[in-house]
Each structure stands twice: as C-alpha cells, then as structure tokens.
Amino acid sequence: MQSTIDFIKEKTGNFVPEIALVLGSGLGEFTKNLDGITLNYSEIPGFKTSTVKGHKGSLFFCNIFNKNVVIMQGRLHYYEGYELSDITYPVKIFKKLGVKILILTNAAGSVEKSLKPSDLMLISDHINFTAKNPLIGKNDDTLGERFPDMSDIYTKTLRDKVKECAKNIGVELKEGVYLMTTGPSYETPAEVKMFNKLGADAVGMSTVPEAIVSNYLGMQTIGISLITNYASGISDTKLSHGEVVEMGKKAAQKFAKLVNSIIENI
Ligand code: HPA
C-alpha cells in the first residue's frame, strides 16, 4: 500500500482529498469540464485496470467548490475476474490519503415498478447477494475491526443532507435498497421477482464491496443509483449494456447537478 501512496503523493504533491467519488457506467462525463491531474490505473502501483466498455480507468484529482476531490473514472467489477480485495483496494488508498466521505455511484435496473428508467435513487441500504465479502481473510486491526457493524452504512444524517440538496436544486431523488449480484449475466424474471420480495428496489453488479470496506474503515458513505432500465421481466424489452450506457449519458446533466450540489454542501 505504501508504494501506491508514495506514487500518488509524488504526482499530486500535497493534495489531500476529503471526498472520493466513484463514477458508474455511463457517468464518466462528470469530469469533462474540470481541470485536474489524471493518473491512469495502469501506471499506479497496486491498481488493476478496468476492462468494461464505457468505463475509463483513471484517478482524477481536482478541486470542486473549494473541496479537494479524488474521482475514480471507472471501477473494477467482480465479474471481470478480479478479487474483491483488488476492487476495494482504491477505497483503502482513499482512506490513507485522507478521504472522509466516499460517494459511490452506479447504473442499476429497477426491480420495483415505481422506480423508472432515468430516476436517481439514493441508496438507503444494500443486500449483498454475491455470497462474497471483501473483508474475508486476515484482518488488519489497524484499519478496522474483525466484525464491523453494518447497520448504518449509508448514514441517515448524510442521506438527509443529500435529500435536502436534491430538493434545493429541484432534482427528484427516490430512495431505496440496492441489491448486488455478481453478474455479468443480467437477472432472470424469476430472480427479479424474488429480489423484489426480498426488499430490493434496484439491482446492479457493483458498489456493495466498496461500501462494506468504506464503512469498515470508518468513512462516511453515500450511494446513488441511476436507474437505467427496468430489470428483466418488469418490462418486455431485452436488456443490453448499450442501453445502460446510453441512459447514463442522457441523465448526465441531472446527475452532475446533484453530485455538484452534494460536494458543495456536505
Ligand atoms: N441488472 C443488473 N445490473 C444492471 C442492470 C440490471 O438490470 N442495469 C444496470 N446495471
């Protein structure tokens, strides 16, 4: 871990990020008009490179509303064949760099009819449906405890603030439970029906490992899903990754408005 920190510090000087933002599928445009320092994952010691279309692979260090922010342009997914320890490695680095708040974003399918494509959903809680946990293995007691509590990952006080931001800028924000599958196949209609009965509102293939580790490390966590489609069986159309990326682009402005407001006011 030290070689990663040393490399980043060498490239970014005394930049201390207080917020980290992870951009999900199709949401990479967020950084388009921002000035900052880009470090490609491929040059950062210890980082693995994302293989998914629509995902860049770089860290972007910038200042937004006088706050130092590090942005992950593209994340790693379990379905790409990475270990959860690789996927969550950047989260540990963020903590070491000084980050206090981690904002996780993703594209997700709706398993609850009232959530429509193009809706933004604030994650209130999650269901880990992968049967995998990023904290399995020898625990480093200097980072966090062996059996960390997970009862308030997406902190209520922070969610209230995010809802207030959305209200103030006139962006509609729904709220619900995110369920993670490993992917890469989309769900069957029977699975989607089950997920809804289990209490999920949206389904996706990311975010949960990073949220678990963030909470374990004592960082505050915000999760926002962009609903890109109705999940399998909720509507008659077949699912495609292209549709997910396209919806990300369409909702980019609304999404950027909300994230900017969060960064400004949090
Ligand atoms: N299922 C799983 N992951 C997704 C979906 C979906 O319908 N949409 C975007 N990511």
Side-chain angles (χ1 to χ4, degrees):
M1 227 180 282
Q2 197 51 47
S3 62
T4 311
I5 303 285
D6 290 346
F7 177 83
I8 291 174
K9 285 207 182 290
E10 184 197 317
K11 298 285 180 188
T12 62
N14 53 7
F15 186 101
V16 177
E18 52 183 307
I19 297 172
L21 168 66
V22 179
L23 297 175
S25 292
L27 300 170
E29 298 281 287
F30 182 80
T31 52
K32 207 165 74 182
N33 296 317
L34 294 171
D35 288 329
I37 300 171
T38 300
L39 300 180
N40 292 324
Y41 296 159
S42 55
E43 61 181 318
I44 306 175
F47 269 56
K48 297 275 185 336
T49 317
S50 173
T51 61
V52 190
K53 255 182 159 174
H55 281 258
K56 291 186 199 170
S58 48
L59 284 187
F60 186 73
F61 297 82
C62 60
N63 190 279
I64 304 174
F65 295 114
N66 248 346
K67 295 197 176 136
N68 282 344
V69 184
V70 56
I71 301 179
M72 269 190 95
Q73 301 180 292
R75 58 147 64 79
L76 304 177
H77 302 83
Y78 188 65
Y79 61 72
E80 292 178 83
Y82 296 116
E83 297 299 327
L84 291 182
S85 54
D86 292 329
I87 293 166
T88 55
Y89 184 73
V91 178
K92 291 183 182 161
I93 296 300
F94 295 155
K95 169 76 179 182
K96 295 258 181 210
L97 288 174
V99 167
K100 301 281 184 285
I101 296 175
L102 176 65
I103 306 174
L104 298 167
T105 70
N106 61 50
S110 162
V111 305
E112 166 58 54
K113 265 210 169 102
S114 61
L115 268 181
K116 299 180 305 299
S118 90
D119 277 351
L120 292 175
M121 183 189 91
L122 182 62
I123 301 177
S124 58
D125 201 353
H126 74 223
I127 296 172
N128 182 1
F129 205 78
T130 65
K132 301 276 185 306
N133 192 298
L135 302 178
I136 288 174
K138 193 171 181 303
N139 189 53
D140 181 346
D141 294 333
T142 65
L143 296 180
E145 42 179 311
R146 172 78 289 188
F147 302 107
D149 174 75
M150 292 281 148
S151 59
D152 194 25
I153 298 180
Y154 308 91
T155 330
K156 168 92 171 60
T157 45
L158 219 47
R159 271 187 287 134
D160 286 344
K161 280 193 196 166
V162 172
K163 284 188 247 182
E164 204 177 299
C165 290
K167 202 171 155 200
N168 289 340
I169 55 168
V171 166
E172 192 192 4
L173 183 63
K174 308 249 172 101
E175 190 170 19
V177 172
Y178 176 89
L179 180 145
M180 179 190 173
T181 70
T182 64
S185 54
Y186 286 115
E187 305 70 38
T188 64
E191 287 164 348
V192 167
K193 216 182 260 180
M194 172 180 71
F195 293 161
N196 182 265
K197 286 195 175 137
L198 289 178
D201 298 290
V203 60
M205 306 172 192
S206 68
T207 302
V208 165
E210 295 103 311
I212 290 172
V213 170
S214 174
N215 191 54
Y216 161 79
L217 295 170
M219 287 194 286
Q220 291 194 293
T221 311
I222 294 170
I224 302 168
S225 294
L226 166 65
I227 304 300
T228 51
N229 57 282
Y230 284 119
S232 173
I234 302 258
S235 88
D236 296 335
T237 47
K238 295 215 171 198
L239 305 188
S240 75
H241 182 63
E243 172 190 26
V244 169
V245 173
E246 266 318 298
M247 183 55 81
K249 286 185 182 151
K250 270 194 205 150
Q253 223 177 352
K254 174 168 79 166
F255 169 81
K257 214 168 136 185
L258 178 62
V259 172
N260 274 317
S261 170
I262 295 170
I263 292 171
E264 184 179 9
N265 295 299
I266 220 101

